Amino acid sequence: VILDKIEKKGAFKLNSDEVAQGIVAPQDFVNKHSHSVLNNYEIKINDGIFVLNEVEFQNLKLSEFEKEIIKPYYTSQELHKYYTNDKNRFWLIYTNSTFKNSDEINKYPNIKKHLDRFISIITSDNKPYGLHRAREEKFFKNEKIMSLRKGKEPVFTFTDFDCYVSQSYFVIQTKRLNMKYLTIYLNSKIVKFWLKYKGKMQGDNYQIDKIPLLNIPIIIAEKQNDIIQLFDKIKDNVDNINSLFYKICDFSEDEIKIIENHLE
């Protein structure tokens, strides 16, 4: 009955072209296996390949032109529920499929020199200089929602600045709805309950792949702007917001108790 009510109130669902998986690098960092293959005492486990920390980024001494393909890269350390810390700790060498043509890298000599150190272990379809799956770049720009694929609870993060992420995330970008409102709704207990029973679980962990995202019934509140205004003070208003969505769905006290108890 509860799931039926959510489905009935859901005004629309996301389209396939509004959801994209994050970037698949062939190798982001040096792991134990690749370290043994490289057999180079100067290279250490966790050294950056396509993903660089701040020191590695500075040490490459890139020209301004080369920096044009270096993008701010974010992880779950910065991407929190609702909001993000915009100070990135990592940088991504964002080379798309055009770099399958090795001549393309010659415009970026310092990046070429860096990647050449790892050439023997790079397994990308666009090797040796291109990311395996760079995805459509528009998904990493402007307003968007980062959706963590796996975790103890659903985590949806609003960002409005350049934010590049790995395949550990799906990215939602739609012009049909205010993105702050959608972030609040997706983080609600109603959606958490829906995903628990209509989505995909791995034991106690939520696995929110593309299909579960596309199946979420999205409820539009009549006073959408009132909810959007709460976004900047979201931590103090989570209970109020859940109550609002309970009300929109016409849930009884008993139904609310069922939702709350099943999400403990």
Side-chain angles (χ1 to χ4, degrees), residues 15-32:
N15 295 330
S16 184
D17 60 1
E18 294 172 324
V19 179
Q21 193 173 11
I23 293 156
V24 182
Q27 281 75 33
D28 43 10
F29 304 99
V30 175
N31 59 27
K32 212 170 181 178

Side-chain angles (χ1 to χ4, degrees), residues 75-185:
T75 71
S76 58
Q77 292 282 305
E78 298 83 43
L79 296 165
H80 307 291
K81 198 163 186 169
Y82 299 105
Y83 69 96
T84 185
N85 172 5
D86 62 3
K87 181 68 188 91
N88 55 301
R89 295 177 303 131
F90 296 105
W91 299 92
L92 173 72
I93 299 173
Y94 188 75
T95 44
N96 58 27
S97 58
T98 61
F99 285 81
K100 195 165 188 174
N101 176 356
S102 293
D103 291 341
E104 192 68 23
I105 199 71
N106 292 332
K107 304 172 196 170
Y108 310 91
N110 290 302
I111 293 172
K112 180 183 189 303
K113 186 179 173 185
H114 165 74
L115 291 175
D116 279 346
R117 298 171 69 217
F118 307 101
I119 209 160
S120 62
I121 59 161
I122 291 174
T123 58
S124 167
D125 280 356
N126 303 304
K127 66 185 180 184
Y129 303 114
L131 291 167
H132 187 59
R133 298 282 183 271
R135 310 300 187 194
E136 278 189 83
E137 196 170 8
K138 67 171 187 173
F139 278 99
F140 308 114
K141 295 175 170 295
N142 304 315
E143 289 192 351
K144 61 214 157 295
I145 298 168
M146 304 304 182
S147 168
L148 187 63
R149 277 189 67 222
K150 294 182 181 182
K152 291 290 182 189
E153 66 168 356
V155 175
F156 295 93
T157 312
F158 173 84
T159 73
D160 57 0
F161 48 83
D162 287 4
C163 182
Y164 292 69
V165 291
S166 75
Q167 70 268 34
S168 299
Y169 286 86
F170 278 92
V171 188
I172 301 166
Q173 202 171 54
T174 178
K175 292 179 179 174
R176 297 188 292 155
L177 191 60
N178 181 284
M179 297 296 278
K180 284 186 176 180
Y181 173 83
L182 186 56
T183 305
I184 292 170
Y185 175 70

Side-chain angles (χ1 to χ4, degrees), residues 215-230:
N215 286 336
I216 296 170
I218 297 169
I219 295 169
I220 310 299
E222 283 182 20
K223 296 182 178 179
Q224 196 183 131
N225 287 337
D226 292 353
I227 293 175
I228 293 165
Q229 284 173 13
L230 298 175

Side-chain angles (χ1 to χ4, degrees), residues 205-219:
N205 286 330
Y206 289 79
Q207 183 170 333
I208 310 172
D209 291 319
K210 188 166 185 175
I211 296 302
L213 285 174
L214 296 179
N215 286 336
I216 296 170
I218 297 169
I219 295 169

